[in-house]
């Protein structure tokens, strides 16, 4: 019997990319490939790139070059780029980075196995030719569900699902519906992301994502539920719903309030102890959605709100809506229903035309908002965006100064917010227990990777994946120190 070819998936960027990598892993393993953790042990290294901002693009290029170095002194024979940067730049990336043996776009995902086999056999796969993916789907959201367009995280069509292998390897999710992808978990963490939708219909002037991720299209509730049930069978305790804009979920299925009915169903899945929703648009928040997020058992009262700024003139230039007082009113509505609710957001400073008065207005908002986590980014031109054509750009030194200033304020304010939680009782998902390092987890107001963590005073009796009640007894910046309130081994 010939030795199975091996593949390693290197994932950069956001949680959506992590889901895409697990889809690629499922497809490859179902087709006979052996997945390995380290690129140096693989015949081919597949780098799932990020193409959002300049720093992420640089990280993607560095990862491709690092994987290419293995070809000189390891098992690795080929390095292949997939993901957002590959989709966005395609042939341009291939020409600029000849070290990559293949540059594959989203359209190649369904045939990823044959593409990699061709590359390993010395064949040539023409580099992906980029196109504006917004133009691939109908303008009317209601007409998008039946469109034959490659959507990572959604199976292509019913025929693709029917053609999936019947005898799947252990741990590979079956393609159980017309848009249910094969999926193979990479790792055994007690939390996993589930893609709720793909693409975005908003036209923020600073963002290029819709051009290479496409227009907004929801996954069907039955497929989201089916995948969540499968994850629960794999030992997952918390699912995080991800997309470019979760508040738009269901608009192409005829029900903009579909998320409000789906969340209780997900929370009721046996084995799932917490459901978290990421990336919510403030302008699209509805009273009914706030009610469900703050009052449904096992749904985290967690609000990942994309404010981006609070000065009205800057927001209009960004092609966004709102202002400081409207945003504060929204937070007041949330906390009136759930005082312990977690809120995080990202902000861009130094946007073209931003004045000192605008920065002061942002400082006013941040000071009063009591956010649990704050991400701050300095503006830089993104190729192909409207903002890149604006004339009133600020000097790099001014942007850097404002970035440092708001970042210092954010660090101070989030540490103060953590201190406000002293004495609170939290439900904490235990994520790691180590005899030397201690035990760590996350509470309902903390999303993976972005919002800090919980540090236990003692790891005795704790096991990974267990949900425990704990009292906050100290803080370490944004991190909380907690004392477990349950008996060891319970």
């Amino acid at each position: 019997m010939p030795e199975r070819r091996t593949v390693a998936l290197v994932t950069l960027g956001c949680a959506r990319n992590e889901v895409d990598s697990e889809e690629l892993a499922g497809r490859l393993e179902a087709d006979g490939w052996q997945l390995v953790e380290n690129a140096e042990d693989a015949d081919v290294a597949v780098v799932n790139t990020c193409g959002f901002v300049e720093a992420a693009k640089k990280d993607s290029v560095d990862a491709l070059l690092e994987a290419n170095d293995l070809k000189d002194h390891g098992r690795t024979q080929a390095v292949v780029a997939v993901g957002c940067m590959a989709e966005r730049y395609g042939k341009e990336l291939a020409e600029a980075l000849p070290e990559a043996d293949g540059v594959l776009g989203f359209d190649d995902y369904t045939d990823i196995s044959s593409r990699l086999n061709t590359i390993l056999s010395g064949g040539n796969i023409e580099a992906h030719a980029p196109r504006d993916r917004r133009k691939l789907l109908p303008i009317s959201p209601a007409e998008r569900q039946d469109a034959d367009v490659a959507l990572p995280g959604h199976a292509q069509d019913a025929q693709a699902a029917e053609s999936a292998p019947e005898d799947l390897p252990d741990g590979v999710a079956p393609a159980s519906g017309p848009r249910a992808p094969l999926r193979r978990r990479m790792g055994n963490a007690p939390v996993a992301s589930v893609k709720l939708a793909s693409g975005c219909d908003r036209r923020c002037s600073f963002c290029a994502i819709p051009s290479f991720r496409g227009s907004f299209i929801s996954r069907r509730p039955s497929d989201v539920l089916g995948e969540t049930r499968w994850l629960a069978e794999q030992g997952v305790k918390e699912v995080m719903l991800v997309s470019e804009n979760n508040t738009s979920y269901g608009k192409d299925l005829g029900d903009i309030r579909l998320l409000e009915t789906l969340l209780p169903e997900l929370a009721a899945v046996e084995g799932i102890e917490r459901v978290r929703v990421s990336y919510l648009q403030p302008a699209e928040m509805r009273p009914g959605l706030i009610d469900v997020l703050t009052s449904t058992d096992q749904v985290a009262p967690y609000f990942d709100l994309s404010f981006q700024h609070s000065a009205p003139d800057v927001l209009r230039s960004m092609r966004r809506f709102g202002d400081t007082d409207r945003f504060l009113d929204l937070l007041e509505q949330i906390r009136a229903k759930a005082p312990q609710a977690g809120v995080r957001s990202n902000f861009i400073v130094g946007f073209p035309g931003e004045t000192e008065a605008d920065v002061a207005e942002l400082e006013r908002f941040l000071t009063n908002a009591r956010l649990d986590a704050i991400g701050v980014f300095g503006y830089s031109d993104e190729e192909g965006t409207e903002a890149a054509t604006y004339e009133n750009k600020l000097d790099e030194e001014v942007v850097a100064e404002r970035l440092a200033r708001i970042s210092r304020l954010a660090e101070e304010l989030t540490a103060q917010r953590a201190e406000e939680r002293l004495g609170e009782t939290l439900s904490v998902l235990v994520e790691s227990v180590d005899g030397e390092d201690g035990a760590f987890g996350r509470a309902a107001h903390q999303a993976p990777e972005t919002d800090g963590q919980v540090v236990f005073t003692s790891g005795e009796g704790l096991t990974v994946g267990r949900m425990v009640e704990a009292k906050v007894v100290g803080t370490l910046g944004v991190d909380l120190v907690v004392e477990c309130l349950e008996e060891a081994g319970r």
Side-chain angles (χ1 to χ4, degrees):
M1 183 176 179
E3 185 179 0
R4 294 167 68 191
R5 282 180 161 173
T6 56
V7 58
L9 285 147
V10 180
T11 306
L12 295 97
C14 64
R16 299 184 292 277
N17 251 18
E18 293 172 5
V19 176
D20 292 348
S21 285
E22 294 196 347
E23 177 190 349
L24 292 173
R27 290 184 180 280
L28 289 166
E29 192 163 70
D31 207 39
W33 288 76
Q34 180 181 347
L35 298 171
V36 295
E37 187 173 344
N38 299 315
E40 61 189 16
D41 299 324
D43 295 320
V44 57
V46 177
V47 180
N48 191 350
T49 60
C50 178
F52 181 37
V53 293
E54 206 58 43
K57 286 183 270 189
K58 182 181 182 303
D59 289 344
S60 296
V61 170
D62 290 345
L64 287 163
L65 293 173
E66 183 178 337
N68 183 69
D69 289 342
L70 298 174
K71 291 193 288 188
D72 296 329
H73 51 266
R75 174 170 178 162
T76 309
Q77 302 170 48
V79 175
V80 175
V82 298
C84 291
M85 190 175 182
E87 174 65 37
R88 184 176 181 184
Y89 295 105
K91 292 182 178 180
E92 182 182 340
L93 176 62
E95 292 169 359
L97 200 69
E99 292 86 353
D101 299 284
V103 176
L104 307 180
F106 298 151
D107 295 331
D108 294 302
Y109 281 22
T110 54
D111 296 316
I112 187 67
S113 179
S114 63
R115 299 288 194 272
L116 297 188
N117 275 319
T118 297
I119 291 170
L120 281 178
S121 300
N124 179 56
I125 298 292
E126 186 175 355
H128 165 68
R131 49 186 174 166
D132 189 337
R133 297 193 75 84
R134 290 172 291 191
K135 299 177 180 179
L136 302 182
L137 289 167
I139 293 176
S140 170
E143 298 175 5
R144 293 175 186 168
Q145 285 292 321
D146 297 324
D148 186 16
V149 175
L151 297 166
H154 310 228
Q156 298 308 105
D157 50 36
Q159 185 177 1
E162 291 169 2
S163 64
E166 292 184 5
D167 298 324
L168 291 173
D170 290 342
V172 175
S176 56
R179 290 191 184 276
L182 296 171
R183 180 171 178 177
R184 177 70 159 89
R185 291 211 71 206
M186 297 169 63
N188 55 5
V191 60
S193 296
V194 174
K195 190 169 284 190
L196 192 63
S198 292
C200 185
D201 286 342
R202 300 184 72 87
R203 294 295 178 261
C204 300
S205 64
F206 56 84
C207 183
I209 288 177
S211 67
F212 56 87
R213 277 287 183 180
S215 297
F216 184 89
I217 183 166
S218 305
R219 291 184 68 197
R220 296 186 181 276
S222 58
D223 290 330
V224 177
L225 277 164
E227 189 168 336
T228 299
R229 293 187 184 104
W230 175 78
L231 288 167
E233 292 170 359
Q234 305 301 306
V236 169
K237 300 300 181 184
E238 176 181 327
V239 293
M240 183 167 74
L241 302 180
V242 299
S243 76
E244 280 74 22
N245 177 10
N246 282 327
T247 33
S248 283
Y249 180 68
K251 73 174 188 178
D252 52 323
L253 295 171
D255 185 0
I256 191 61
R257 296 176 177 81
L258 196 54
L259 185 56
E260 285 96 303
T261 57
L262 177 60
L263 283 171
E265 293 184 70
L266 291 170
V269 170
E270 185 176 356
I272 296 298
E273 299 198 39
R274 187 155 65 203
V275 178
R276 182 184 304 277
V277 184
S278 68
Y279 212 83
L280 303 166
Q281 287 289 347
E284 297 180 28
M285 288 300 295
R286 306 174 291 276
L289 181 55
I290 294 174
D291 287 344
V292 171
L293 286 169
T294 54
S295 64
T296 307
D297 287 344
Q298 297 181 196
V299 171
Y302 175 79
F303 293 81
D304 177 10
L305 293 163
S306 175
F307 290 124
Q308 301 299 347
H309 211 285
S310 74
D313 288 344
V314 176
L315 286 167
R316 301 307 173 268
S317 294
M318 290 179 169
R319 296 204 178 276
R320 297 180 65 82
F321 307 95
D323 55 45
T324 295
D325 293 329
R326 291 183 193 179
F327 291 163
L328 291 175
D329 180 64
L330 173 60
L331 295 176
E332 186 177 339
Q333 293 177 48
I334 291 168
R335 288 172 175 143
K337 295 180 178 295
Q340 289 184 317
V343 187
R344 80 163 330 272
S345 192
N346 294 323
F347 299 87
I348 298 173
V349 295
F351 196 78
E354 181 189 64
T355 65
E356 275 295 331
D358 294 328
V359 179
E361 185 68 0
L362 176 58
E363 290 173 323
R364 180 170 82 88
F365 171 69
L366 292 173
T367 302
N368 289 279
R370 295 169 53 234
L371 303 178
D372 292 277
I374 300 171
V376 187
F377 302 88
Y379 173 82
S380 62
D381 284 341
E382 268 298 300
E383 182 182 349
T385 62
E386 180 184 349
T389 68
Y390 290 173
E391 295 181 354
N392 48 350
K393 305 280 176 62
L394 303 182
D395 291 340
E396 290 184 6
E397 294 79 8
V398 174
V399 175
E401 185 277 326
R402 291 180 181 178
L403 174 61
R405 170 176 154 193
I406 298 299
S407 295
R408 286 193 299 271
L409 177 63
E411 185 175 354
E412 177 183 342
L413 292 172
T414 51
Q416 290 176 7
R417 175 64 180 137
E419 290 175 356
E420 290 179 16
R421 293 191 179 273
L422 284 168
E424 283 188 9
T425 298
L426 308 173
S427 293
V428 180
L429 177 64
V430 181
E431 293 195 308
S432 67
V433 180
D434 186 282
E436 296 182 2
D437 297 331
F440 302 87
R442 284 180 303 102
H445 70 280
Q446 297 168 316
E449 308 294 338
T450 59
D451 300 344
Q453 62 184 351
V454 162
V455 182
F456 286 92
T457 55
S458 170
E460 184 179 355
L462 298 177
T463 55
V464 173
R466 183 178 164 196
M467 191 77 76
V468 299
E469 295 297 298
K471 182 179 180 180
V472 181
V473 296
T475 64
L476 298 167
V478 297
D479 296 338
L480 303 178
V481 180
V482 302
E483 195 173 75
C484 187
L485 299 178
E486 300 184 14
E487 295 179 9
R490 177 180 170 184

